[in-house]
Amino acid sequence: QKHLAESGGGLVQPGGSLRLSCAASGLSFWRFAMAWFRQAPGKEREFVGSITTAGTSTTYGDSVKGRATISRDNAKNMLYLQMTGVNPDDTAVYSCAAGQVAGFLSPSVMNYWGKGTLVTVSS
C-alpha cells in the first residue's frame, strides 16, 4: 500500500525556521516527482514547491521563493522541506504528494498524498 507520512510540524516562532520530512513507503519513490503543498484555515490548498525524480531541479511557489528548500534522499525514500524566516502567514497544514511531473503544480495532478502535518507560526 502506497503511503506518505509527514513529520516535523509544530509551533515555530516568527522569524524562525522549520524542517519537515515526508517518509514514503509502498511505492517506487525514485520514480516519482515530489511536491509540498499547504492549506491554511479557510483557504485553498497552495503549491509550496516540487522536486524532480533525481532531485536535480526544484520549483517554488511565489510565497516561499527564496525562503524554502526542497530536497530528497532516494536511498532513504525521504522528502524534506526547509523554510527560513517564517511568519504567521506560513501557518498551515503541510502535505507531501507524489506525481508524474515536477514544476509548478496543481493539486489535481498529484497521484498520492500524505495526511499532512500542522505548522503554526506564532509567538
Side-chain angles (χ1 to χ4, degrees):
Q1 185 172 359
K2 297 170 178 62
H3 187 62
L4 299 174
E6 302 89 345
S7 61
L11 181 65
V12 186
Q13 297 274 344
S17 300
L18 65 84
R19 177 178 169 87
L20 305 180
S21 300
C22 171
S25 60
L27 74 166
S28 298
F29 181 73
W30 61 275
R31 290 181 179 269
F32 287 90
M34 297 297 297
W36 287 97
F37 291 83
R38 67 185 184 182
Q39 188 165 21
K43 295 187 177 181
E44 293 188 354
R45 187 170 277 173
E46 177 188 17
F47 172 75
V48 174
S50 67
I51 188 167
T52 53
T53 53
T56 53
S57 180
T58 52
T59 304
Y60 298 97
D62 288 343
S63 61
V64 303
K65 197 173 293 182
R67 301 189 295 125
T69 302
I70 294 176
S71 60
R72 65 190 296 165
D73 185 336
N74 286 346
K76 296 181 179 179
N77 290 352
M78 293 293 295
L79 174 73
Y80 304 100
L81 170 66
Q82 288 186 287
M83 194 181 303
T84 61
V86 299
N87 59 73
D89 289 340
D90 294 316
T91 295
V93 174
Y94 285 73
S95 300
C96 62
Q100 300 302 312
V101 295
F104 192 88
L105 302 172
S106 165
S108 62
V109 305
M110 307 308 294
N111 298 118
Y112 305 106
W113 289 86
K115 292 184 178 180
T117 185
L118 175 63
V119 172
T120 302
V121 181
S122 176
S123 55

